[in-house]
Amino acid sequence: MASPSPLSICLTNMVIVFAVLVFLAFVIQLIHIVDPTKNKKK
């Protein structure tokens, strides 16, 4: 079994990192929409 090339390892790692970043950005937006600590006064 040949070891995978460093380029494919790098691309796989970048895809995983960007997927996690997009997921975290979505979670942050969701928290801003449903913010339990937001002041209710207007």
Side-chain angles (χ1 to χ4, degrees), residues 1-37:
M1 177 176 163
S3 62
S5 66
L7 184 62
S8 68
I9 294 174
C10 178
L11 287 175
T12 305
N13 285 337
M14 292 304 287
V15 167
I16 292 171
V17 165
F18 277 107
V20 169
L21 285 176
V22 168
F23 176 72
L24 283 178
F26 174 72
V27 168
I28 289 172
Q29 292 296 323
L30 194 64
I31 289 173
H32 279 295
I33 291 172
V34 189
D35 190 3
T37 64

